[in-house]
Amino acid sequence: MNERHNRRLSGVVGAFLLLVSGGGIVLLGTGGLEEPIFLVQVALLGLAGVFDIVAATDTGLTDRWAWYRWSGAGNVLLGLSLPLGFAGSDSLLFLLLTVVGGVSLAAMGIDMLAFHGKYTRGERLDRNSS
């Protein structure tokens, strides 16, 4: 039951990330895509959203790679995208805060990818698999 809840939550987060990345493109128009930092940030957010939606669904992709690994990869991409919003700005404090938050998200994602959630979840998520 906890796994189903986590997967549903992953799907909600993924849909939100896709809306945010699509909304950013709509609000700033295609001119915003000419800015390399914005383009990379939107691409990372969108890809993180796709990975989270894949984590929430039962497909051949989740048969090959466990759902929590897809979610972990999404966390890494989201963590990488966060500081890009303040890159090149004069707001060093906000850049540092988003770097700390991004590193935290990326670290949780790496735990899901490499260690099956052992350190962030307290137990390995692959414990029931054969």
Side-chain angles (χ1 to χ4, degrees), residues 38 40 45 87 90:
F38 178 73
V40 170
L45 281 174
D90 294 334

Side-chain angles (χ1 to χ4, degrees), residues 115-130:
F115 305 106
H116 307 275
K118 177 181 176 182
Y119 299 105
T120 56
R121 304 280 175 125
E123 60 183 350
R124 290 178 60 107
L125 294 171
D126 66 340
R127 69 191 180 283
N128 294 329
S129 63
S130 49

Side-chain angles (χ1 to χ4, degrees), residues 7-22:
R7 291 183 78 176
R8 272 191 239 133
L9 183 61
S10 184
V12 169
V13 169
F16 176 75
L17 291 175
L18 286 174
L19 284 172
V20 168
S21 64

Side-chain angles (χ1 to χ4, degrees), residues 9 12 24 26 53 61 70 80 90 95 102 110 120 124 128:
L9 183 61
V12 169
V26 168
I53 288 174
L61 293 172
W70 285 102
L80 291 173
D90 294 334
L95 177 62
I110 290 170
T120 56
R124 290 178 60 107
N128 294 329

Side-chain angles (χ1 to χ4, degrees), residues 13 17 40-41 43-49 51-52 70-87 94-110 113:
V13 169
L17 291 175
V40 170
Q41 185 178 31
L44 289 172
L45 281 174
L47 195 54
F51 280 23
D52 277 333
W70 285 102
S71 179
N75 281 348
V76 170
L77 294 172
L78 178 58
L80 291 173
S81 75
L82 284 181
L84 295 178
F86 291 100
F94 288 125
L95 177 62
L96 290 174
L97 289 174
T98 56
V99 165
V100 169
V103 167
S104 299
L105 274 171
M108 289 188 296
I110 290 170
L113 283 166

